[in-house]
């Protein structure tokens, strides 16, 4: 497929595919710097979902009539797209979910919990999103297992020197974020996977933040499970997927019960369908799934080396702009970062910064970013976060700097 991008990277031309980027907020052009929360959607995604409801609306996997067959074939084609996009062993390795959170819960309760006993260990990192903490806590509380945590350094990197000791003992699973939604830190997950496998632990990678910025191959990484959310990769909300090694999915129990995930049902006993269908109870988000397929088609047109270089240039520019301000402290300055910058400003609460920047048309995220343990580690209640992607521009970053000066003057 021919790339829509040429060297040098042309953000302005690609912005034309994203209608939301042309709206005004508070009478000013929208500058959208909240991409780690959710990305904007290209016309291809919006049009694909509309087409389903206009021309193809039928339930999947159940009907023999033509419309149902068409919907089923096109929905299942998305599973093949995802499998190819992430380099999975087979299409059956991909489970449709409502997002990364559901995928983690499925692994926690369907795969891990039946294997846990008192004294077993789940290893997480100190920069995890709540979605990659709470499901494991629930599994641990129900079984008597314990949770260990890989510490985070002052630079916002994982303390990998502590890993051999943390992996000592009955560690059953390691679950780690690939790219931090708060710090932007890109963790060396391939090395973590290697070390975890040496002690017989399974590994889940949370790729919700990394997949929008890097091409991933699950077989190259060697992970046992990987989760991602559609709405962070320019697709619809309420979509996502879980990748699992085929042999492990066969050993995983269903998390939800209902239609299509069964083989036979009697009042005495139910038998399960094969993976991935045993994990997909009920009518799925069909339009959303087709929209996710359109998002992946869009992403496959990108020159990912050019994307990476461009986003890194935006990251350097944003970091430099923020460092120019007295009283600004950047939280997390890892050597390997994606295009995310969290910061605090002396004398200004993060929520006040967000409100005042919104008056300038600039959308940033403020708060604890669902990483309260990480906030505690750095001794702050909240940060302001600027998260960028390839449709942002250097001019928008310059405008952020001008608006921050204005906000700083207003706050005295």
């Amino acid at each position: 497929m021919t790339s829509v991008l040429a060297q040098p990277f042309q953000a302005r031309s690609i912005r034309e595919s994203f209608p939301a980027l042309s709206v005004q907020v508070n009478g000013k052009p929208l500058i959208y710097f909240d991409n780690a929360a959710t990305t904007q959607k290209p016309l291809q995604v919006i049009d694909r979902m509309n087409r389903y409801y206009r021309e193809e609306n039928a339930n999947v996997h159940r009907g023999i009539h033509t419309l149902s067959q068409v919907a089923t074939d096109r929905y299942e084609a998305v599973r093949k797209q995802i499998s190819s996009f992430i380099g999975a062993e087979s299409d059956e390795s991909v489970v449709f979910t409502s997002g990364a959170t559901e995928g983690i819960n499925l692994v926690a309760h369907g795969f891990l919990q039946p294997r846990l006993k008192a004294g077993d260990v789940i290893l997480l990192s100190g920069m995890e999103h709540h979605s990659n903490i709470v499901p494991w806590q629930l599994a641990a509380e129900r079984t008597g297992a314990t949770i260990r945590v890989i510490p985070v350094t002052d630079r916002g990197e994982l303390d990998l020197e502590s890993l051999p000791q943390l992996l000592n003992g009955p560690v059953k699973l390691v679950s780690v974020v690939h790219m931090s939604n708060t710090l932007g830190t890109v963790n060396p997950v391939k090395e973590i996977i290697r070390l975890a496998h040496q002690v017989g632990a399974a590994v889940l990678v949370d790729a919700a933040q990394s997949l929008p910025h890097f091409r991933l191959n699950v077989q190259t990484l060697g992970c046992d499970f990987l989760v991602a959310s559609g709405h962070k990769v320019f697709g619809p909300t309420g979509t996502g997927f879980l990748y699992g090694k085929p042999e492990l999915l066969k050993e995983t129990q269903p998390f939800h019960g209902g239609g299509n995930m069964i083989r036979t049902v009697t009042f005495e006993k139910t038998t399960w369908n094969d993976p991935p269908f045993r994990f997909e109870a009920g009518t799925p988000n069909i339009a959303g799934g087709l929209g996710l397929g359109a998002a992946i088609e869009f992403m496959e047109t990108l020159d990912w080396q050019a994307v990476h270089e461009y986003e890194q240039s935006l990251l350097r520019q944003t970091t430099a702009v923020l460092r120019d301000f007295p009283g600004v402290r950047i939280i997390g300055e890892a050597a390997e970062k994606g295009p995310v910058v969290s910061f605090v400003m002396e004398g200004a609460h993060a929520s006040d910064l967000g409100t005042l920047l919104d008056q300038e048309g600039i959308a940033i995220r403020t708060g604890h970013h669902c990483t309260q343990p990480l906030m505690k580690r750095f001794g702050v209640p909240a940060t302001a976060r600027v998260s960028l992607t390839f449709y942002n521009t250097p001019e928008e970053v310059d405008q952020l700097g001008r608006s921050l000066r204005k906000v700083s003057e207003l706050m005295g």
Side-chain angles (χ1 to χ4, degrees):
M1 187 177 293
T2 303
S3 172
V4 298
L5 304 181
Q7 294 283 2
F9 188 86
Q10 298 294 324
R12 289 177 187 81
S13 62
I14 208 166
R15 285 172 64 89
E16 296 174 2
S17 296
F18 293 83
L21 298 179
S22 63
V23 305
Q24 291 203 337
V25 172
N26 294 316
K28 298 182 179 179
L30 170 65
I31 297 178
Y32 188 77
F33 285 155
D34 195 21
N35 295 286
T38 195
T39 52
Q40 297 300 332
K41 318 307 174 192
L43 282 167
Q44 295 96 311
V45 170
I46 299 167
D47 291 345
R48 183 66 189 91
M49 295 175 70
N50 283 340
R51 193 173 97 210
Y52 166 75
Y53 282 123
R54 290 172 65 94
E55 302 173 8
E56 305 162 343
N57 183 42
N59 212 334
V60 295
H61 302 140
R62 293 171 177 81
I64 62 170
H65 60 83
T66 298
L67 211 56
S68 178
Q69 292 292 318
V70 168
T72 298
D73 290 346
R74 292 175 181 174
Y75 184 71
E76 284 300 318
V78 178
R79 197 188 307 272
K80 294 180 182 292
Q81 282 183 282
I82 296 170
S83 175
S84 175
F85 190 63
I86 63 172
E89 299 95 321
S90 67
D91 303 339
E92 290 73 25
S93 298
V94 174
V95 180
F96 285 116
T97 67
S98 63
T101 300
E102 185 185 9
I104 294 169
N105 275 275
L106 196 163
V107 175
H109 303 301
F111 173 80
L112 184 64
Q113 186 172 306
R115 291 164 169 74
L116 286 179
K117 62 182 184 300
D120 284 344
V121 175
I122 305 165
L123 181 60
L124 309 177
S125 88
M127 61 178 69
E128 298 307 322
H129 190 281
H130 297 167
S131 295
N132 205 23
I133 299 173
V134 178
W136 310 113
Q137 287 179 329
L138 292 172
E141 289 170 0
R142 291 165 181 165
T143 59
T146 60
I147 291 176
R148 293 177 185 168
V149 180
I150 307 170
V152 177
T153 70
D154 290 342
R155 283 175 57 84
E157 299 171 329
L158 292 183
D159 178 10
L160 295 185
E161 291 185 3
S162 68
L163 198 53
Q165 181 60 35
L166 290 168
L167 286 169
N168 186 38
V171 180
K172 298 299 182 185
L173 183 134
V174 178
S175 190
V176 63
V177 66
H178 190 188
M179 175 179 151
S180 168
N181 71 306
T182 298
L183 306 176
T185 304
V186 179
N187 290 317
V189 291
K190 190 173 182 179
E191 176 65 9
I192 293 171
I193 292 164
R194 185 185 69 81
L195 293 172
H197 283 172
Q198 286 181 353
V199 300
V203 183
L204 181 146
V205 173
D206 177 357
Q209 294 295 331
S210 57
L211 195 61
H213 304 290
F214 310 104
R215 285 304 300 263
L216 304 180
N217 184 295
V218 291
Q219 293 189 74
T220 301
L221 287 178
C223 56
D224 300 289
F225 300 99
L226 181 141
V227 297
S229 293
H231 73 102
K232 296 184 190 295
V233 290
F234 317 100
T237 56
T239 66
F241 65 87
L242 162 70
Y243 157 81
K245 287 183 175 178
E247 64 272 19
L248 298 184
L249 288 181
K250 289 177 182 177
E251 299 172 5
T252 301
Q253 295 300 306
F255 181 49
H256 297 133
N260 199 53
M261 51 79 66
I262 57 87
R263 190 176 300 280
T264 62
V265 175
T266 68
F267 283 109
E268 291 72 34
K269 183 175 177 59
T270 295
T271 60
W272 312 131
N273 205 340
D274 293 330
F277 303 108
R278 75 166 61 159
F279 309 114
E280 298 175 357
T283 298
N285 181 2
I286 303 167
L290 295 170
L292 176 56
I296 290 171
E297 285 182 8
F298 170 80
M299 291 177 70
E300 285 177 331
T301 67
L302 302 177
D303 178 342
W304 282 89
Q305 183 59 38
V307 166
H308 177 70
E309 292 172 2
Y310 180 73
E311 289 182 343
Q312 287 296 302
S313 72
L314 290 177
L315 173 63
R316 290 190 295 271
Q317 181 188 1
T318 304
T319 302
V321 164
L322 292 172
R323 281 180 177 154
D324 276 347
F325 282 87
V328 165
R329 172 190 171 198
I330 294 175
I331 307 296
E333 299 192 72
E336 296 292 331
K337 282 190 64 168
V340 173
V341 186
S342 279
F343 67 98
V344 293
M345 181 181 288
E346 186 177 340
H349 194 281
S351 63
D352 293 333
L353 284 175
T355 300
L356 291 169
L357 285 174
D358 182 60
Q359 296 303 309
E360 299 294 309
I362 300 176
I364 66 168
R365 178 68 48 158
T366 65
H368 54 65
H369 316 300
C370 293
T371 56
Q372 286 182 309
L374 190 61
M375 294 294 108
K376 183 177 180 181
R377 161 65 182 84
F378 283 97
V380 295
T383 71
R385 183 186 70 191
V386 175
S387 52
L388 308 124
T389 192
F390 51 74
Y391 51 57
N392 294 124
T393 67
E395 291 78 12
E396 289 181 325
V397 177
D398 287 340
Q399 184 58 48
L400 171 68
R402 289 190 291 270
S403 296
L404 273 175
R405 290 187 193 92
K406 184 176 179 180
V407 166
S408 181
E409 291 169 1
L410 285 172
M411 300 186 76

